[in-house]
């Protein structure tokens, strides 16, 4: 299902909220005005064209095996320090055995991350709630629908914090698949609270590797593992069993909510083909994935993730992503 948000209410309507609560995801078409889509694409291309290869460690974005929870997840210092920087991670198939690019650099990048919301004014503008809160004059977006702060309020956040942001390019011909995963595995709070805000900047289709979702899995699929830093500075990342809560608080969650008589493998993923400008909200426990892009068309998206920063949620020092020094994670509420 997809729904439109009303002009007056820039958060979620009751129907949208109900759909999200039942299914763990929600498509909001036309969340971004076309001028904003164009500005974010311009910024993406400026970044792709201007970064230097001279001092780049040629880090590729590897997702950690078939189910995304293997141990070969990217984890070098370039990745570990990216929470307060704008860094460029290559597609696995864009780097040959000798470490050379097989494509021009702007067509070789899988992902740009993870502090666009802090360092890039066009991307930062999505989090602004008023012209006064915008540090770069002119970047406030008056006709933004489903404004993130209002959505977060509708979802029940007390103190929503944006902790990371990324452009994912899903390049033509070599765009890597993203295996089924739950975002709270990578962005763990105790108890889990992550929600993804995923914006299509180009049409996302079955051909170029749109998202797909396992509806309702956020209610029964536990966060079994966490991606953490290995002990010692810049020693890489590893998946460890999650010894904390596996669901957000609430009676609607739990392994006993799994559909009766069906295994995880029998559940059916629902594709989410969306137009440029659409917002997709993704619950941190929801199983979702995207396929390889072998088509001629790229699929550029922007996504950021929000966690609860309020009382009763712990974000610990084991998480691979650590707070930007000084500022902390970016508040959505003024
Ligand atoms: O855009 C994609 O292909 C995958 C994004 C995703 O799964 C995520 O941001 O959690």
């Amino acid at each position: 299902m997809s729904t439109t948000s009303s002009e007056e209410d820039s958060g979620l309507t009751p129907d949208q909220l109900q759909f999200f609560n039942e299914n763990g995801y929600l498509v909001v078409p036309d969340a971004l005005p076309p001028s904003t889509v164009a500005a974010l694409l311009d910024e993406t291309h400026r970044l792709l064209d201007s970064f230097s290869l001279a001092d780049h460690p040629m880090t590729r974005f590897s997702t950690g095996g078939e189910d995304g929870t293997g141990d070969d997840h990217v984890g070098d210092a370039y990745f570990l320090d990216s929470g307060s920087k704008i860094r460029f991670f290559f597609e696995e198939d864009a780097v040959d055995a000798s470490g050379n690019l097989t494509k021009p650099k702007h067509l070789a990048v899988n992902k740009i991350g993870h502090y666009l919301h802090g360092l890039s004014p066009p991307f930062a503008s999505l989090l602004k709630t008023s012209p006064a809160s915008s540090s770069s004059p002119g970047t406030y977006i008056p006709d933004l629908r489903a404004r993130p702060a209002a959505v977060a309020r509708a979802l029940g956040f007390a103190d929503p914090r944006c902790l990371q942001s990324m452009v994912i390019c899903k390049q033509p011909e070599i765009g890597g698949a993203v295996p089924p995963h739950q975002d709270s595995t990578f962005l763990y709070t105790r108890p889990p609270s992550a929600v993804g805000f995923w914006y299509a900047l180009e049409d996302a289709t079955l051909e170029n590797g749109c998202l797909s979702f396992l509806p309702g899995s956020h209610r029964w699929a536990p966060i079994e593992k966490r991606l953490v830093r290995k002990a010692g500075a810049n020693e890489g990342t590893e998946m460890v069993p999650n010894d904390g809560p596996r669901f957000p608080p609430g009676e609607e969650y739990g392994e006993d909510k799994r559909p009766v008589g069906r295994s995880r493998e029998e559940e059916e993923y629902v594709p989410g083909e969306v137009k440029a400008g659409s917002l997709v909200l993704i619950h941190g426990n929801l199983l979702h994935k995207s396929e390889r892009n072998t088509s001629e068309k790229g699929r550029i998206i922007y996504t950021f993730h929000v966690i609860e920063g309020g009382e009763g949620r712990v974000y610990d020092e084991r998480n691979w992503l650590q707070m930007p020094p000084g500022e902390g994670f970016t508040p959505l509420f003024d």
Side-chain angles (χ1 to χ4, degrees):
M1 175 188 139
S2 64
T3 53
T4 48
S5 50
S6 68
E7 290 295 335
E8 327 66 80
D9 180 6
S10 53
L12 298 178
T13 64
D15 283 353
Q16 287 176 317
L17 190 56
Q18 188 183 352
F19 186 90
F20 179 82
N21 287 337
E22 279 174 10
N23 294 281
Y25 72 96
L26 174 75
V27 177
V28 182
D30 303 320
L32 299 179
S35 57
T36 302
V37 172
L40 298 182
L41 279 176
D42 282 354
E43 173 71 346
T44 299
H45 291 299
R46 187 190 69 75
L47 291 166
L48 289 173
D49 290 340
S50 61
F51 81 98
S52 167
L53 285 180
D55 51 357
H56 195 290
M58 305 307 287
T59 306
R60 287 169 290 162
F61 190 78
S62 51
T63 50
E66 285 290 293
D67 67 353
T69 63
D71 257 344
D72 51 347
H73 194 279
V74 59
D76 64 1
Y78 186 77
F79 175 77
L80 289 176
D81 294 345
S82 63
S84 56
K85 306 206 165 50
I86 296 180
R87 292 201 157 159
F88 301 82
F89 303 94
F90 292 114
E91 294 280 2
E92 297 234 51
D93 288 351
V95 184
D96 68 18
S98 320
N100 299 313
L101 289 187
T102 58
K103 300 269 180 187
K105 72 178 170 116
H106 69 282
L107 293 174
V109 169
N110 166 294
K111 150 176 313 193
I112 310 173
H114 289 93
Y115 198 36
L116 292 157
H117 62 286
L119 297 178
S120 160
F123 287 110
S125 66
L126 286 188
L127 296 184
K128 303 301 176 195
T129 53
S130 66
S133 70
S134 203
S135 54
S136 304
T139 59
Y140 174 70
I141 310 166
D143 44 356
L144 188 64
R145 291 184 177 187
R147 197 171 288 282
V151 170
R153 186 165 279 117
L155 294 178
F157 279 87
D159 180 12
R161 300 281 175 145
C162 177
L163 77 168
Q164 68 155 13
S165 50
M166 321 181 259
V167 163
I168 302 177
C169 299
K170 201 65 109 168
Q171 298 284 1
E173 296 172 349
I174 56 162
V178 177
H181 67 281
Q182 299 154 292
D183 292 343
S184 283
T185 301
F186 303 92
L187 305 168
Y188 186 72
T189 56
R190 192 175 320 112
S193 63
V195 171
F197 288 66
W198 184 104
Y199 292 92
L201 302 183
E202 297 180 315
D203 294 351
T205 64
L206 288 173
E207 286 70 42
N208 68 5
C210 65
L211 291 173
S212 54
F213 319 98
L214 200 52
S217 56
H218 65 303
R219 284 183 276 123
W220 54 258
I223 305 301
E224 287 171 339
K225 293 183 179 181
R226 292 176 57 183
L227 183 72
V228 298
R229 291 181 177 226
K230 286 185 184 162
N234 292 338
E235 289 290 336
T237 57
E238 62 183 337
M239 282 289 174
V240 296
N242 173 22
D243 58 10
R246 296 169 163 216
F247 293 96
E251 285 183 356
E252 64 275 36
Y253 296 107
E255 284 172 72
D256 56 342
K257 301 288 187 293
R258 184 183 292 264
V260 179
R262 293 216 298 274
S263 71
R264 188 161 169 158
E265 290 68 35
E266 285 168 320
E267 296 295 317
E268 287 204 4
Y269 279 79
V270 171
E273 291 191 293
V274 294
K275 293 278 180 208
S278 302
L279 163 65
V280 184
L281 295 173
I282 307 171
H283 188 289
N285 276 60
L286 187 82
L287 284 157
H288 62 288
K289 62 179 182 172
S290 68
E291 305 300 335
R292 275 181 73 77
N293 180 15
T294 53
S295 81
E296 299 296 306
K297 263 176 94 49
R299 193 223 63 178
I300 294 178
I301 68 96
Y302 174 60
T303 182
F304 60 82
H305 288 84
V306 169
I307 54 165
E308 179 59 84
E311 267 180 43
R313 301 291 163 116
V314 180
Y315 190 88
D316 68 35
E317 68 293 340
R318 299 183 75 196
N319 281 316
W320 80 265
L321 179 77
Q322 289 299 311
M323 290 187 199
E327 295 115 89
F329 293 137
T330 308
L332 267 63
F333 293 168
D334 291 332

